[in-house]
Each structure stands twice: as C-alpha cells, then as structure tokens.
C-alpha cells in the first residue's frame, strides 16, 4: 500500500470508531517498592476504568452521607483496592458500613506506605487525593 492509501485507511477507521494505536505507548506507572503489581481491568480503549466513575466536586463524607460524591468515592475505592483484598462494594450513593470499612482499609494501606492519614473511615481533604491517585494507577494499593 502507498503511504497515501494507508493514511486514508487509517482515517476511515477513525471515522468508523475503530481506534488506531501507535506502537509507541506511554509506559505503565511503576508501583512503590514492595507493592503487588496485579493488573487492573482495563476498558477496551486501554484507559483505566476510573474514567467510568462519576466526577463531582469533593467534600468531606462519612457514614450516613448520600449522593453523587459518595458514588464517586465508592467507585474509586473499587479501583484502588484489589477485590481479592476487599470485596467490591455497591456504587449506590449511600455511605454505609461497607463503604466505611473499605475506606478504613484504604487508609490503613495508604499509611503502610507513609501517607499519615487518620483511619477514621471518612473521605475528606487528606484522604481524597490519595484515593484518586491510587484509583487512577495500574497497581492496587493493597
């Protein structure tokens, strides 16, 4: 095929919704030393499914709270912690005992890596950035 024809085929694939990937892709992030490198499920596009989590303004939440930010926290927790370590929780927008327990597990795991978080089961301005970072990366925190 000529270069022009290859370009037309690639353009047609993009218009048809078929992705064309370059052979030069960004390297996967490297987890901290001693961390498991269990790969997370990926969306078909190769982008971590964190992008499927709702994204709303952060606030301080804990047991008894409800709403979209609680849904976001629940989704992020499911991506940050290996399901073999702590079972997936419902993303229902209700911050109940399972969500609280999973937040405490996350805080404990983050502290093992030196985060210095209070293990209080709440997601506020100290816990939220750690949760978002771990949910976005390819390695589970624990």
């Amino acid at each position: 095929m000529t270069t022009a024809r290859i370009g037309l085929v690639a353009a047609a694939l993009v218009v048809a919704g078929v992705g064309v990937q370059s052979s030069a892709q960004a390297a996967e992030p490297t987890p901290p030393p001693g961390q498991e490198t269990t790969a997370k499920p990926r969306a078909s596009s190769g982008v971590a499914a964190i992008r499927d989590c709702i994204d709303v303004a952060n606030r301080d939440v804990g047991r008894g709270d409800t709403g979209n930010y609680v849904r976001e926290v629940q989704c992020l927790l499911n991506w940050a912690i290996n399901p073999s370590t702590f079972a997936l929780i419902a993303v229902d927008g209700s911050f109940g005992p399972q969500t609280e327990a999973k937040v405490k597990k996350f805080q404990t795991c983050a502290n093992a890596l030196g985060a210095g978080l209070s293990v209080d089961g709440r997601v506020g301005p100290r816990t939220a950035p750690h949760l978002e970072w771990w949910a976005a990366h390819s390695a589970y925190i624990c």
Side-chain angles (χ1 to χ4, degrees), residues 9 25-26 29-30 34 47 50 55 60 63 72 77 87 91 135 142:
V9 171
Q25 293 184 359
T30 306
V47 176
I50 184 173
D55 188 17
D60 190 303
R63 190 187 279 217
E72 180 180 0
L77 285 166
V91 180
C142 57

Side-chain angles (χ1 to χ4, degrees), residues 53-101:
C53 293
I54 189 170
D55 188 17
V56 297
N58 292 5
R59 60 187 182 92
D60 190 303
V61 292
R63 190 187 279 217
D65 289 323
T66 60
N68 284 336
Y69 184 57
V70 174
R71 279 186 186 84
E72 180 180 0
V73 164
Q74 291 167 327
C75 183
L76 294 173
L77 285 166
N78 284 337
W79 281 103
I81 299 175
N82 191 326
S84 67
T85 301
F86 197 111
L88 296 175
I89 57 174
V91 180
D92 60 6
S94 179
F95 201 121
Q98 284 293 88
T99 303
E100 182 181 50

Side-chain angles (χ1 to χ4, degrees), residues 5 7 31-32 37 40-41 43-46 51 58 60 77 83 99 105-107 110 118 122 129-130 132 137 139 142:
R5 189 170 206 164
T37 56
K40 291 184 180 184
S44 60
S45 65
R51 303 202 188 282
N58 292 5
D60 190 303
L77 285 166
T99 303
K105 178 66 174 175
F106 175 82
Q107 291 167 331
S118 295
R122 297 190 63 81
H130 290 276
E132 291 166 357
H137 287 80
C142 57

